[in-house]
Amino acid sequence: MTENRFYWMLLFCGWLFLVVISLWLRPPLPMDETRYLAVAWSMWLDADWMVPSLNGEAYSHKPPLLFWLMNLGWHIFGVVEWWPRLIAPLFGFGCLIVVKKLAEQLWPEDAIIAHIAPLILFGTLFWALFGTLTMFDTLLAFFTLVAIYGIICAWRTGSWAGFLLAGVAVGFGILAKGPAIMVHILPVALSAPWWGPKLSCVGSQKFYKIWFLGVLSIILIGILIGCLWAVPAAILGGEEYKNAIFWGQSADRLVNSFAHAKPFWWYAVTIPILLLPWVTWGRAWRGLSRIYQNFDGAVGLCLIWLGSSFVIFSAISGKQLHYLLPEFPAFSLMIAWALRQSIGCKISRKERFQTAWIFIFSGIILTSATIEPLYRQLSTNLKNIII
């Protein structure tokens, strides 16, 4: 118990240090962060919690959950700058907790994987960088993790409580960033009859006849929760706003994105950079090379989670790096499993030296990315003073 408390204390201190440094050194970045703060401020001034607005016009590009949380914090703490910028990092730390719980469900006989996985996720360069930004994807990643945790619990126990948990998570995911959460969780849920019987645990319930009924219940619960906001908002926001939230921000993006359009292969060439420093660690690759020797249902689940989302988002017209953020926990679970496969191998002095430099280099990049906006702002202020 003491060891577990010490583990979380160290992880929390690392997370807190990153967040404090980010809030202290980096101002809100245009265009996204400043725009979302402006929408929340407009909601605060108008006292309109149903239809977000920006510059006097209805803002249909994103659902309201993040704006609701910003306003809720302002009601509690007063109108302070730090609260809106703390929301996404808090959900990021929640992701670390749920990743550990997921690993305990997937590999209940191996506690080491559960301890390694959150560290891998927190140590992934893009996750650490993006986790401090005031955007929607960290919230979406958290609800995706909770939904998949519920799916695993439903399969292992045969209880409808797991389906209910997953459905509620999907509903909040829809309120966080629209129906995109379905892309992240449905392939995992629908493929459970394949990966479920291979889970390395005792007592898995293979209730094939009602499984897909449970998956349907997840979808319906999620849609119901989303509609509790969307239907009144559509009525209050007018015809144009209704068309935008029900169609323009979902189906149109799939076929012909009005923004961020990129070729099919774009993720394939950018994703290795996002997965630094782990893609450069030979020990992780050696562990992954044993995937066919030690294949189990947990590995299958992670592969489907990663592979299906990668293919679907590659096929979708609009692409942004952060669209794949909910897949980073699956990557951390896979790397933790891979390291566990080679944990018995002796770590050479050369490998220790190589690993140290990987993290030093990553730290330099992370520090530079944090300080650069501050340097740019200070330079602009100095120019204004001189002129």
Side-chain angles (χ1 to χ4, degrees):
M1 189 67 178
T2 303
E3 181 182 350
N4 192 52
R5 191 182 298 116
F6 181 69
Y7 168 86
W8 284 114
M9 185 181 69
L10 287 179
L11 194 59
F12 176 78
C13 288
W15 169 85
L16 185 62
F17 176 78
L18 179 65
V19 172
V20 169
I21 290 296
S22 177
L23 295 182
W24 180 36
L25 294 180
R26 180 182 62 77
L29 300 180
M31 297 286 295
D32 290 331
E33 283 192 294
T34 52
R35 179 169 61 243
Y36 301 148
L37 289 169
V39 173
W41 179 241
S42 178
M43 181 180 285
W44 173 267
L45 293 177
D46 298 339
D48 186 352
W49 287 61
M50 277 295 173
V51 183
S53 62
L54 180 64
N55 298 326
E57 297 182 359
Y59 184 77
S60 61
H61 295 280
K62 293 293 185 293
L65 182 60
L66 180 60
F67 311 132
W68 287 348
L69 293 173
M70 290 180 183
N71 278 263
L72 179 62
W74 284 338
H75 278 286
I76 297 173
F77 305 112
V79 180
V80 291
E81 181 187 355
W82 55 266
W83 168 250
R85 300 181 64 193
L86 189 60
I87 295 172
L90 284 171
F91 276 90
F93 187 75
C95 287
L96 301 181
I97 297 174
V98 183
V99 162
K100 187 174 186 297
K101 297 296 183 182
L102 263 178
E104 291 172 350
Q105 284 286 333
L106 293 172
W107 295 281
E109 77 289 349
D110 197 334
I112 294 180
I113 296 179
H115 279 79
I116 296 175
L119 300 176
I120 297 293
L121 181 60
F122 184 61
T124 305
L125 187 60
F126 183 71
W127 180 275
L129 281 170
F130 198 86
T132 62
L133 297 179
T134 304
M135 295 181 71
F136 304 85
D137 299 87
T138 309
L139 280 68
L140 182 64
F142 175 79
F143 292 121
T144 298
L145 280 166
V146 175
I148 292 178
Y149 179 82
I151 290 168
I152 296 172
C153 290
W155 180 267
R156 291 192 60 192
T157 64
S159 170
W160 283 88
F163 291 122
L164 177 62
L165 175 62
V168 171
V170 168
F172 278 96
I174 291 174
L175 292 176
K177 206 184 175 184
I181 190 172
M182 298 294 186
V183 177
H184 302 287
I185 65 104
L186 274 185
V188 174
L190 293 174
S191 61
W194 174 72
W195 53 258
K198 302 182 182 69
L199 277 181
S200 54
C201 58
V202 179
S204 295
Q205 302 295 317
K206 306 177 183 64
F207 49 107
Y208 299 102
K209 292 183 179 179
I210 67 168
W211 178 257
F212 293 106
L213 183 61
V215 174
L216 179 61
S217 72
I218 293 175
I219 298 172
L220 294 178
I221 292 171
I223 292 175
L224 175 61
I225 293 174
C227 285
L228 290 176
W229 161 75
V231 172
I235 295 172
L236 294 173
E239 188 69 21
E240 184 177 352
Y241 184 74
K242 179 182 71 174
N243 292 334
I245 63 174
F246 281 115
W247 183 261
Q249 289 301 315
S250 54
D252 281 355
R253 288 177 183 264
L254 299 178
V255 180
N256 185 23
S257 176
F258 50 82
H260 318 309
K262 293 179 178 64
F264 179 85
W265 46 262
W266 188 73
Y267 280 127
V269 298
T270 56
I271 199 69
I273 301 173
L274 306 185
L275 298 179
L276 287 170
W278 310 111
V279 293
T280 62
W281 201 1
R283 178 168 289 268
W285 284 107
R286 283 197 294 274
L288 287 173
S289 67
R290 304 181 182 183
I291 195 169
Y292 292 106
Q293 302 173 8
N294 303 308
F295 189 84
D296 58 22
V299 173
L301 182 151
C302 293
L303 288 176
I304 291 172
W305 183 0
L306 282 168
S308 60
S309 298
F310 178 81
V311 172
I312 293 171
F313 278 104
S314 293
I316 292 173
S317 175
K319 297 178 180 65
Q320 288 279 67
L321 295 177
H322 50 266
Y323 288 177
L324 291 179
L325 198 73
E327 276 60 63
F328 277 68
F331 171 79
S332 70
L333 290 167
M334 284 294 299
I335 295 298
W337 174 87
L339 293 176
R340 186 61 174 140
Q341 303 309 302
S342 60
I343 205 166
C345 304
K346 184 179 179 180
I347 303 176
S348 65
R349 182 177 180 181
K350 178 182 178 181
E351 186 175 14
R352 289 197 298 268
F353 183 77
Q354 177 191 23
T355 304
W357 275 107
I358 288 172
F359 282 96
I360 291 172
F361 180 69
S362 300
I364 292 173
I365 295 176
L366 184 61
T367 304
S368 301
T370 303
I371 294 178
E372 192 272 337
L374 177 66
Y375 172 77
R376 187 170 62 245
Q377 185 183 44
L378 290 175
S379 298
T380 303
N381 293 340
L382 287 174
K383 288 180 182 178
N384 293 336
I385 292 173
I386 294 172
I387 293 174

